Amino acid sequence: MSLLQVEHLTMQFGGLTAVKDFNLNLEKGEIVALIGPNGAGKTTAFNMITGVYRPTQGRVILMDKDITGLRPDLITGRGIARTFQNIRLFRDLSVLENVLIANHLHLKSNFLTAILKLPAYRGEERLMHQKSLALLERVGLSQFKDEKASSLPYGLQRRLEIARALATGPRILLLDEPAAGMNPKEAADLTVFIKEIRAEYDLTIFMIEHHMDVVMGISERIYVLDYGVTIASGSPHEIQNDPRVIEAYLGVEEDA
């Protein structure tokens, strides 16, 4: 049984069709990539899955539940977390505060108990603090916990954004160009990191990425979009040898 099914998703903006009839199946534990040139509709597909856009047509099914068009916070609460192509951290808050905010998704205390700081709320607050520190330790950011998020090097800001997504307790993690702006060493380290968190947090990962070394080195399956239409899907080997992909996206000769 698929963990996530995307059926015939279509997104129109006026007379422009950004994504047409997009279909996707994610099985538990997979790492699946979505590739294509700028403007192909990749982030639009992410936005429909995560509730940023309500699809013009189609459905998003998470564990047999239709979540099409739910608010992003409700979708996150059901187990889908994401990062963004342009890093969206709370730049003036500390590294620890960024992760703590994500942990608030799981608060059971109501507004009154929080305002009055009743024992139940204080207990939850302590637990969130402990979990956030443990997560920062795991992702290698604990030494920066009191630093402003904006003061981190670019690669560590990317890692913090992933840590914040992990703090929501996702089943599925959507990564929008996680290696963007990274040098080859940083991209290689990120590949190892993604494989590690997949195993440790029992994740299914769906990612958009332009770094072909990352895509081919980490993905079990790949989907390719061209002007909003899926032109190919398959294993990395199949995608590397698909003439349409070779010509339009990888930018290499067919015998490379």
Side-chain angles (χ1 to χ4, degrees):
M1 183 183 71
S2 296
L3 185 61
L4 181 74
Q5 291 176 285
V6 171
E7 301 176 349
H8 308 295
L9 278 194
T10 297
M11 189 72 225
Q12 294 176 321
F13 300 100
L16 172 67
T17 300
V19 174
K20 182 178 180 181
D21 199 32
F22 180 64
N23 295 281
L24 167 74
N25 284 301
L26 292 183
E27 302 291 338
K28 188 176 184 296
E30 284 188 302
I31 299 179
V32 177
L34 180 62
I35 67 172
N38 290 332
K42 303 181 300 297
T43 295
T44 299
F46 263 36
N47 286 341
M48 287 189 285
I49 293 169
T50 57
V52 176
Y53 297 152
R54 185 177 187 89
T56 307
Q57 296 176 20
R59 299 194 305 162
V60 181
I61 310 296
L62 175 64
M63 296 179 292
D64 289 333
K65 304 281 188 184
D66 192 335
I67 63 167
T68 312
L70 288 182
R71 294 198 320 261
D73 60 307
L74 297 178
I75 290 176
T76 302
R78 294 192 182 201
I80 299 179
R82 70 171 293 180
T83 65
F84 293 86
Q85 182 178 351
N86 299 313
I87 297 173
R88 297 188 185 180
L89 296 171
F90 297 102
R91 297 178 59 81
D92 291 330
L93 297 183
S94 72
V95 168
L96 176 58
E97 286 167 337
N98 268 271
V99 177
L100 280 169
I101 286 172
N103 263 304
H104 274 83
L105 179 72
H106 303 294
L107 267 180
K108 295 181 175 60
S109 300
N110 59 34
F111 179 74
L112 183 61
T113 58
I115 288 293
L116 297 177
K117 294 194 178 294
L118 297 179
Y121 175 76
R122 292 201 302 271
E124 282 194 291
E125 202 171 40
R126 282 194 300 272
L127 182 59
M128 284 193 305
H129 195 270
Q130 292 166 3
K131 285 184 175 180
S132 297
L133 287 174
L135 180 55
L136 289 176
E137 179 70 31
R138 170 60 192 86
V139 301
L141 293 174
S142 59
Q143 67 268 42
F144 306 108
K145 65 183 177 65
D146 297 319
E147 302 291 330
K148 277 189 177 183
S150 59
S151 72
L152 293 181
Y154 183 82
L156 294 185
Q157 288 190 33
R158 283 280 179 198
R159 189 168 288 222
L160 175 57
E161 191 177 34
I162 294 173
R164 189 177 62 183
L166 291 175
T168 68
R171 293 172 180 266
I172 301 172
L173 180 60
L174 275 62
L175 302 174
D176 194 345
E177 296 194 35
M182 292 186 177
N183 61 41
K185 173 64 166 59
E186 290 171 330
D189 290 344
L190 178 74
T191 299
V192 172
F193 176 65
I194 290 172
K195 288 179 177 178
E196 288 175 349
I197 62 172
R198 187 258 298 261
E200 186 165 342
Y201 293 95
D202 195 23
L203 293 171
T204 299
I205 295 173
F206 184 40
M207 68 175 186
I208 296 168
E209 187 50 68
H210 284 291
H211 272 253
M212 286 299 109
D213 287 345
V214 173
V215 170
M216 297 302 170
I218 200 173
S219 307
E220 279 114 21
R221 291 189 295 119
I222 300 168
Y223 289 78
V224 187
L225 280 182
D226 179 16
Y227 295 105
V229 177
T230 304
I231 64 161
S233 63
S235 69
H237 177 75
E238 290 169 331
I239 294 302
Q240 283 178 313
N241 290 281
D242 188 305
R244 294 165 300 179
V245 179
I246 293 169
E247 180 182 356
Y249 300 103
L250 299 185
V252 297
E253 298 297 327
E254 190 166 346
D255 62 352

